[in-house]
mmCIF file with all atom_site columns, all heavy atoms in Angstrom:
data_model
loop_
_atom_site.group_PDB
_atom_site.id
_atom_site.type_symbol
_atom_site.label_atom_id
_atom_site.label_alt_id
_atom_site.label_comp_id
_atom_site.label_asym_id
_atom_site.label_entity_id
_atom_site.label_seq_id
_atom_site.pdbx_PDB_ins_code
_atom_site.Cartn_x
_atom_site.Cartn_y
_atom_site.Cartn_z
_atom_site.occupancy
_atom_site.B_iso_or_equiv
_atom_site.pdbx_formal_charge
_atom_site.auth_seq_id
_atom_site.auth_comp_id
_atom_site.auth_asym_id
_atom_site.auth_atom_id
_atom_site.pdbx_PDB_model_num
ATOM 1   N N   . THR A 1 125 ? 98.500  111.538 96.265  1.00 0.00 ? 125 THR A N   1
ATOM 2   C CA  . THR A 1 125 ? 99.418  112.498 95.792  1.00 0.00 ? 125 THR A CA  1
ATOM 3   C C   . THR A 1 125 ? 100.701 112.530 96.616  1.00 0.00 ? 125 THR A C   1
ATOM 4   O O   . THR A 1 125 ? 101.756 112.540 96.085  1.00 0.00 ? 125 THR A O   1
ATOM 5   C CB  . THR A 1 125 ? 98.742  113.798 95.769  1.00 0.00 ? 125 THR A CB  1
ATOM 6   O OG1 . THR A 1 125 ? 97.567  113.817 94.974  1.00 0.00 ? 125 THR A OG1 1
ATOM 7   C CG2 . THR A 1 125 ? 99.781  114.789 95.112  1.00 0.00 ? 125 THR A CG2 1
ATOM 8   N N   . LYS A 1 126 ? 100.536 112.481 97.958  1.00 0.00 ? 126 LYS A N   1
ATOM 9   C CA  . LYS A 1 126 ? 101.743 112.530 98.855  1.00 0.00 ? 126 LYS A CA  1
ATOM 10  C C   . LYS A 1 126 ? 102.471 111.299 98.588  1.00 0.00 ? 126 LYS A C   1
ATOM 11  O O   . LYS A 1 126 ? 103.872 111.314 98.552  1.00 0.00 ? 126 LYS A O   1
ATOM 12  C CB  . LYS A 1 126 ? 101.240 112.741 100.304 1.00 0.00 ? 126 LYS A CB  1
ATOM 13  C CG  . LYS A 1 126 ? 102.412 112.929 101.370 1.00 0.00 ? 126 LYS A CG  1
ATOM 14  C CD  . LYS A 1 126 ? 101.922 113.153 102.642 1.00 0.00 ? 126 LYS A CD  1
ATOM 15  C CE  . LYS A 1 126 ? 103.016 113.436 103.738 1.00 0.00 ? 126 LYS A CE  1
ATOM 16  N NZ  . LYS A 1 126 ? 103.463 114.829 103.446 1.00 0.00 ? 126 LYS A NZ  1
ATOM 17  N N   . LEU A 1 127 ? 101.888 110.068 98.698  1.00 0.00 ? 127 LEU A N   1
ATOM 18  C CA  . LEU A 1 127 ? 102.560 108.802 98.576  1.00 0.00 ? 127 LEU A CA  1
ATOM 19  C C   . LEU A 1 127 ? 103.342 108.834 97.205  1.00 0.00 ? 127 LEU A C   1
ATOM 20  O O   . LEU A 1 127 ? 104.426 108.354 97.055  1.00 0.00 ? 127 LEU A O   1
ATOM 21  C CB  . LEU A 1 127 ? 101.593 107.623 98.713  1.00 0.00 ? 127 LEU A CB  1
ATOM 22  C CG  . LEU A 1 127 ? 101.002 107.460 100.090 1.00 0.00 ? 127 LEU A CG  1
ATOM 23  C CD1 . LEU A 1 127 ? 99.993  106.204 100.021 1.00 0.00 ? 127 LEU A CD1 1
ATOM 24  C CD2 . LEU A 1 127 ? 102.170 107.201 101.097 1.00 0.00 ? 127 LEU A CD2 1
ATOM 25  N N   . ALA A 1 128 ? 102.495 109.147 96.111  1.00 0.00 ? 128 ALA A N   1
ATOM 26  C CA  . ALA A 1 128 ? 103.148 109.061 94.859  1.00 0.00 ? 128 ALA A CA  1
ATOM 27  C C   . ALA A 1 128 ? 104.420 109.895 94.601  1.00 0.00 ? 128 ALA A C   1
ATOM 28  O O   . ALA A 1 128 ? 105.189 109.668 93.839  1.00 0.00 ? 128 ALA A O   1
ATOM 29  C CB  . ALA A 1 128 ? 102.075 109.485 93.720  1.00 0.00 ? 128 ALA A CB  1
ATOM 30  N N   . SER A 1 129 ? 104.507 111.038 95.422  1.00 0.00 ? 129 SER A N   1
ATOM 31  C CA  . SER A 1 129 ? 105.609 111.952 95.327  1.00 0.00 ? 129 SER A CA  1
ATOM 32  C C   . SER A 1 129 ? 106.963 111.165 95.725  1.00 0.00 ? 129 SER A C   1
ATOM 33  O O   . SER A 1 129 ? 107.921 111.635 95.327  1.00 0.00 ? 129 SER A O   1
ATOM 34  C CB  . SER A 1 129 ? 105.315 113.090 96.187  1.00 0.00 ? 129 SER A CB  1
ATOM 35  O OG  . SER A 1 129 ? 105.644 112.790 97.467  1.00 0.00 ? 129 SER A OG  1
ATOM 36  N N   . PHE A 1 130 ? 106.906 110.014 96.428  1.00 0.00 ? 130 PHE A N   1
ATOM 37  C CA  . PHE A 1 130 ? 108.142 109.321 96.723  1.00 0.00 ? 130 PHE A CA  1
ATOM 38  C C   . PHE A 1 130 ? 108.428 108.323 95.768  1.00 0.00 ? 130 PHE A C   1
ATOM 39  O O   . PHE A 1 130 ? 109.488 107.511 95.802  1.00 0.00 ? 130 PHE A O   1
ATOM 40  C CB  . PHE A 1 130 ? 107.827 108.604 98.125  1.00 0.00 ? 130 PHE A CB  1
ATOM 41  C CG  . PHE A 1 130 ? 107.404 109.430 99.259  1.00 0.00 ? 130 PHE A CG  1
ATOM 42  C CD1 . PHE A 1 130 ? 106.222 109.206 100.008 1.00 0.00 ? 130 PHE A CD1 1
ATOM 43  C CD2 . PHE A 1 130 ? 108.128 110.640 99.622  1.00 0.00 ? 130 PHE A CD2 1
ATOM 44  C CE1 . PHE A 1 130 ? 105.827 110.096 100.982 1.00 0.00 ? 130 PHE A CE1 1
ATOM 45  C CE2 . PHE A 1 130 ? 107.758 111.464 100.696 1.00 0.00 ? 130 PHE A CE2 1
ATOM 46  C CZ  . PHE A 1 130 ? 106.663 111.178 101.291 1.00 0.00 ? 130 PHE A CZ  1
ATOM 47  N N   . LEU A 1 131 ? 107.700 108.162 94.608  1.00 0.00 ? 131 LEU A N   1
ATOM 48  C CA  . LEU A 1 131 ? 108.060 107.251 93.496  1.00 0.00 ? 131 LEU A CA  1
ATOM 49  C C   . LEU A 1 131 ? 108.762 107.948 92.342  1.00 0.00 ? 131 LEU A C   1
ATOM 50  O O   . LEU A 1 131 ? 108.638 109.137 92.175  1.00 0.00 ? 131 LEU A O   1
ATOM 51  C CB  . LEU A 1 131 ? 106.737 106.655 93.096  1.00 0.00 ? 131 LEU A CB  1
ATOM 52  C CG  . LEU A 1 131 ? 106.195 105.569 94.043  1.00 0.00 ? 131 LEU A CG  1
ATOM 53  C CD1 . LEU A 1 131 ? 104.670 105.261 93.685  1.00 0.00 ? 131 LEU A CD1 1
ATOM 54  C CD2 . LEU A 1 131 ? 107.014 104.347 94.068  1.00 0.00 ? 131 LEU A CD2 1
ATOM 55  N N   . PRO A 1 132 ? 109.486 107.167 91.615  1.00 0.00 ? 132 PRO A N   1
ATOM 56  C CA  . PRO A 1 132 ? 110.216 107.856 90.541  1.00 0.00 ? 132 PRO A CA  1
ATOM 57  C C   . PRO A 1 132 ? 109.278 108.536 89.476  1.00 0.00 ? 132 PRO A C   1
ATOM 58  O O   . PRO A 1 132 ? 109.693 109.592 88.932  1.00 0.00 ? 132 PRO A O   1
ATOM 59  C CB  . PRO A 1 132 ? 110.929 106.559 89.879  1.00 0.00 ? 132 PRO A CB  1
ATOM 60  C CG  . PRO A 1 132 ? 110.650 105.406 90.584  1.00 0.00 ? 132 PRO A CG  1
ATOM 61  C CD  . PRO A 1 132 ? 109.837 105.812 91.746  1.00 0.00 ? 132 PRO A CD  1
ATOM 62  N N   . ASP A 1 133 ? 108.156 107.848 89.203  1.00 0.00 ? 133 ASP A N   1
ATOM 63  C CA  . ASP A 1 133 ? 107.213 108.468 88.215  1.00 0.00 ? 133 ASP A CA  1
ATOM 64  C C   . ASP A 1 133 ? 105.792 108.439 88.829  1.00 0.00 ? 133 ASP A C   1
ATOM 65  O O   . ASP A 1 133 ? 105.065 107.566 88.653  1.00 0.00 ? 133 ASP A O   1
ATOM 66  C CB  . ASP A 1 133 ? 107.205 107.745 86.901  1.00 0.00 ? 133 ASP A CB  1
ATOM 67  C CG  . ASP A 1 133 ? 106.342 108.234 85.778  1.00 0.00 ? 133 ASP A CG  1
ATOM 68  O OD1 . ASP A 1 133 ? 105.768 109.392 86.154  1.00 0.00 ? 133 ASP A OD1 1
ATOM 69  O OD2 . ASP A 1 133 ? 106.339 107.753 84.700  1.00 0.00 ? 133 ASP A OD2 1
ATOM 70  N N   . PRO A 1 134 ? 105.458 109.611 89.552  1.00 0.00 ? 134 PRO A N   1
ATOM 71  C CA  . PRO A 1 134 ? 104.101 109.672 90.120  1.00 0.00 ? 134 PRO A CA  1
ATOM 72  C C   . PRO A 1 134 ? 102.972 109.509 89.169  1.00 0.00 ? 134 PRO A C   1
ATOM 73  O O   . PRO A 1 134 ? 101.814 109.135 89.564  1.00 0.00 ? 134 PRO A O   1
ATOM 74  C CB  . PRO A 1 134 ? 104.020 111.127 90.822  1.00 0.00 ? 134 PRO A CB  1
ATOM 75  C CG  . PRO A 1 134 ? 105.378 111.738 90.466  1.00 0.00 ? 134 PRO A CG  1
ATOM 76  C CD  . PRO A 1 134 ? 106.232 110.711 89.687  1.00 0.00 ? 134 PRO A CD  1
ATOM 77  N N   . ARG A 1 135 ? 103.195 109.675 87.882  1.00 0.00 ? 135 ARG A N   1
ATOM 78  C CA  . ARG A 1 135 ? 102.126 109.538 86.812  1.00 0.00 ? 135 ARG A CA  1
ATOM 79  C C   . ARG A 1 135 ? 101.731 108.068 86.787  1.00 0.00 ? 135 ARG A C   1
ATOM 80  O O   . ARG A 1 135 ? 100.493 107.777 86.391  1.00 0.00 ? 135 ARG A O   1
ATOM 81  C CB  . ARG A 1 135 ? 102.521 110.002 85.451  1.00 0.00 ? 135 ARG A CB  1
ATOM 82  C CG  . ARG A 1 135 ? 102.955 111.443 85.350  1.00 0.00 ? 135 ARG A CG  1
ATOM 83  C CD  . ARG A 1 135 ? 103.630 111.828 84.056  1.00 0.00 ? 135 ARG A CD  1
ATOM 84  N NE  . ARG A 1 135 ? 104.828 111.111 83.892  1.00 0.00 ? 135 ARG A NE  1
ATOM 85  C CZ  . ARG A 1 135 ? 105.588 110.959 82.858  1.00 0.00 ? 135 ARG A CZ  1
ATOM 86  N NH1 . ARG A 1 135 ? 105.171 111.781 81.738  1.00 0.00 ? 135 ARG A NH1 1
ATOM 87  N NH2 . ARG A 1 135 ? 106.703 110.292 82.646  1.00 0.00 ? 135 ARG A NH2 1
ATOM 88  N N   . ARG A 1 136 ? 102.605 107.048 87.168  1.00 0.00 ? 136 ARG A N   1
ATOM 89  C CA  . ARG A 1 136 ? 102.102 105.762 87.104  1.00 0.00 ? 136 ARG A CA  1
ATOM 90  C C   . ARG A 1 136 ? 101.682 105.118 88.441  1.00 0.00 ? 136 ARG A C   1
ATOM 91  O O   . ARG A 1 136 ? 101.583 103.930 88.603  1.00 0.00 ? 136 ARG A O   1
ATOM 92  C CB  . ARG A 1 136 ? 103.515 104.893 86.691  1.00 0.00 ? 136 ARG A CB  1
ATOM 93  C CG  . ARG A 1 136 ? 104.090 105.253 85.344  1.00 0.00 ? 136 ARG A CG  1
ATOM 94  C CD  . ARG A 1 136 ? 103.174 104.783 84.204  1.00 0.00 ? 136 ARG A CD  1
ATOM 95  N NE  . ARG A 1 136 ? 103.107 103.407 84.032  1.00 0.00 ? 136 ARG A NE  1
ATOM 96  C CZ  . ARG A 1 136 ? 102.091 102.769 83.422  1.00 0.00 ? 136 ARG A CZ  1
ATOM 97  N NH1 . ARG A 1 136 ? 101.039 103.472 83.051  1.00 0.00 ? 136 ARG A NH1 1
ATOM 98  N NH2 . ARG A 1 136 ? 102.089 101.452 83.340  1.00 0.00 ? 136 ARG A NH2 1
ATOM 99  N N   . ALA A 1 137 ? 101.242 105.926 89.307  1.00 0.00 ? 137 ALA A N   1
ATOM 100 C CA  . ALA A 1 137 ? 100.773 105.593 90.576  1.00 0.00 ? 137 ALA A CA  1
ATOM 101 C C   . ALA A 1 137 ? 99.399  106.010 90.755  1.00 0.00 ? 137 ALA A C   1
ATOM 102 O O   . ALA A 1 137 ? 98.905  107.078 90.343  1.00 0.00 ? 137 ALA A O   1
ATOM 103 C CB  . ALA A 1 137 ? 101.603 106.197 91.670  1.00 0.00 ? 137 ALA A CB  1
ATOM 104 N N   . ILE A 1 138 ? 98.492  105.017 91.333  1.00 0.00 ? 138 ILE A N   1
ATOM 105 C CA  . ILE A 1 138 ? 97.151  105.329 91.499  1.00 0.00 ? 138 ILE A CA  1
ATOM 106 C C   . ILE A 1 138 ? 96.699  104.785 92.795  1.00 0.00 ? 138 ILE A C   1
ATOM 107 O O   . ILE A 1 138 ? 97.183  103.629 93.233  1.00 0.00 ? 138 ILE A O   1
ATOM 108 C CB  . ILE A 1 138 ? 96.293  104.843 90.404  1.00 0.00 ? 138 ILE A CB  1
ATOM 109 C CG1 . ILE A 1 138 ? 94.835  105.422 90.459  1.00 0.00 ? 138 ILE A CG1 1
ATOM 110 C CG2 . ILE A 1 138 ? 96.324  103.486 90.107  1.00 0.00 ? 138 ILE A CG2 1
ATOM 111 C CD1 . ILE A 1 138 ? 94.148  105.307 89.070  1.00 0.00 ? 138 ILE A CD1 1
ATOM 112 N N   . GLY A 1 139 ? 95.885  105.223 93.663  1.00 0.00 ? 139 GLY A N   1
ATOM 113 C CA  . GLY A 1 139 ? 95.310  104.692 94.850  1.00 0.00 ? 139 GLY A CA  1
ATOM 114 C C   . GLY A 1 139 ? 94.331  103.534 94.634  1.00 0.00 ? 139 GLY A C   1
ATOM 115 O O   . GLY A 1 139 ? 93.492  103.705 93.808  1.00 0.00 ? 139 GLY A O   1
ATOM 116 N N   . VAL A 1 140 ? 94.514  102.461 95.300  1.00 0.00 ? 140 VAL A N   1
ATOM 117 C CA  . VAL A 1 140 ? 93.608  101.347 95.198  1.00 0.00 ? 140 VAL A CA  1
ATOM 118 C C   . VAL A 1 140 ? 93.218  100.880 96.570  1.00 0.00 ? 140 VAL A C   1
ATOM 119 O O   . VAL A 1 140 ? 94.113  100.251 97.313  1.00 0.00 ? 140 VAL A O   1
ATOM 120 C CB  . VAL A 1 140 ? 94.247  100.118 94.378  1.00 0.00 ? 140 VAL A CB  1
ATOM 121 C CG1 . VAL A 1 140 ? 93.355  98.940  94.405  1.00 0.00 ? 140 VAL A CG1 1
ATOM 122 C CG2 . VAL A 1 140 ? 94.602  100.574 92.988  1.00 0.00 ? 140 VAL A CG2 1
#
Side-chain angles (χ1 to χ4, degrees):
T125 303
K126 188 176 182 74
L127 293 178
S129 72
F130 305 126
L131 286 164
D133 186 358
R135 295 171 303 174
R136 297 293 290 158
I138 191 164
V140 174

